[in-house]
Amino acid sequence: MSSAPWYLNAERPSLKHQRKWKSDPNYTKSWYDRGAKIFQAEKYRKGACENCGAMTHDAKSCMERPRKKGAKWTNMHIAPDEKIETFELDYDGKRDRWNGYDASTYARVIERYEARDEARRKYLKEQQLKKVDESKQMDFAKVEKRVRTTGGGSTGTVR
């Protein structure tokens, strides 16, 4: 089916889905610059978000927690504007789950968890040694003596 039938134009396939797809040579697998900020304002600007003061969104779509008194009224703690990017992604780029993934960030996560586990192991080992030391000291310091009374036998502790 890759070649056209003899009764049609024989130099190329007749159906679009049979033609060879060529990807755009200028296509780059770029992704959003996460957390990038553009401009930090000193005071509230007209048309900005009433909650945080950024120009890139409105109060309805603000991702900060709702303030008791927004930046519009206090003129303090104005949030910087976010960097807004648009991409021309092809069919595969739109559906690529791993687009923009950076393996070095995951390496940092692994290092943090390994450090936490090492600290936990060290702490548990110290607690175990401390527990053993306390039990040895208690065994030597505690002397139990049997005291006979008319009401029955009882145990008294002498240190």
Side-chain angles (χ1 to χ4, degrees):
M1 287 302 294
S2 63
S3 62
W6 60 272
Y7 51 85
L8 289 177
N9 193 359
E11 59 260 6
R12 64 186 179 96
S14 61
L15 299 175
K16 286 184 180 179
H17 69 274
Q18 293 177 345
R19 294 184 189 141
K20 184 176 181 182
W21 286 23
K22 290 187 179 179
S23 61
D24 185 17
N26 298 328
Y27 176 73
T28 59
K29 287 196 172 187
S30 57
W31 199 243
Y32 299 102
D33 191 8
R34 295 174 190 249
K37 307 296 181 188
I38 297 177
F39 177 72
Q40 175 72 49
E42 298 295 321
K43 61 181 187 174
Y44 181 79
R45 299 165 285 176
K46 186 177 178 182
C49 175
E50 294 179 359
N51 186 43
C52 69
M55 288 292 285
T56 51
H57 61 272
D58 58 347
K60 196 172 190 180
S61 59
C62 186
M63 294 301 290
E64 282 195 17
R65 69 171 180 80
R67 300 181 184 181
K68 191 172 186 181
K69 289 186 180 178
K72 180 177 182 179
W73 296 276
T74 60
N75 236 358
M76 294 172 59
H77 306 293
I78 305 293
D81 299 339
E82 295 94 8
K83 184 178 180 181
I84 296 179
E85 298 175 288
T86 56
F87 295 110
E88 293 292 327
L89 298 174
D90 60 354
Y91 181 85
D92 292 330
K94 289 179 190 174
R95 291 154 181 84
D96 186 9
R97 298 174 66 191
W98 297 96
N99 197 356
Y101 175 74
D102 186 16
S104 62
T105 58
Y106 184 68
R108 276 188 264 138
V109 170
I110 293 295
E111 289 172 5
R112 187 174 69 223
Y113 276 97
E114 285 177 352
R116 186 191 69 179
D117 289 342
E118 183 64 33
R120 179 183 289 142
R121 271 189 245 110
K122 185 177 179 182
Y123 175 75
L124 290 174
K125 191 172 184 178
E126 288 176 1
Q127 292 297 321
Q128 187 68 22
L129 290 173
K130 192 182 209 183
K131 185 178 177 183
V132 170
D133 289 344
E134 287 177 359
S135 65
K136 284 182 179 177
Q137 289 176 359
M138 287 183 71
D139 289 342
F140 289 121
K142 189 173 184 181
V143 177
E144 292 187 2
K145 182 180 176 185
R146 190 92 172 144
V147 179
R148 294 183 187 223
T149 59
T150 57
S154 66
T155 306
T157 304
V158 178
R159 291 183 187 237

